[in-house]
Amino acid sequence: MPAPAKRPLPAGLPREWYESHNRRLKAMRLAIALLDTGVYHPANASNRRIRTTAERIGIHPPSDTTCRMVRSLIHYAD
């Protein structure tokens, strides 16, 4: 399945909006990569593991804030 066409981001928004948007996208990519490797519980997603995954998939190491966001995206169902 081909990737959807990328659209330009809307112009004129505050810089914080773009930073937050890109942080959410990065966190989602990392959460998906972790789930693909079998990390299904936030407690198993340490900052080191998240950063190692980022290196493996070829993106810049995430900040502590992004790591927290990644853990919040990984839900554990009993």
Side-chain angles (χ1 to χ4, degrees):
M1 183 165 106
K6 290 188 177 183
R7 298 184 319 225
L9 293 174
L13 296 172
R15 179 177 179 85
E16 293 79 23
W17 184 91
Y18 298 103
E19 291 171 355
S20 173
H21 175 77
N22 288 331
R23 185 183 307 273
R24 287 190 305 265
L25 291 177
K26 185 176 197 175
M28 184 61 72
R29 286 193 302 270
L30 286 166
I32 291 168
L34 285 166
L35 290 169
D36 286 345
T37 61
V39 177
Y40 300 117
H41 194 282
N44 295 335
S46 65
N47 285 2
R48 171 181 264 164
R49 189 169 212 172
I50 293 170
R51 290 185 175 119
T52 301
T53 302
E55 183 179 335
R56 186 176 49 80
I57 64 174
I59 59 178
H60 289 283
S63 65
D64 290 346
T65 302
T66 304
C67 289
R68 281 192 302 274
M69 191 177 287
V70 169
R71 281 188 289 276
S72 73
L73 291 171
I74 300 174
H75 297 286
Y76 180 71
D78 289 326

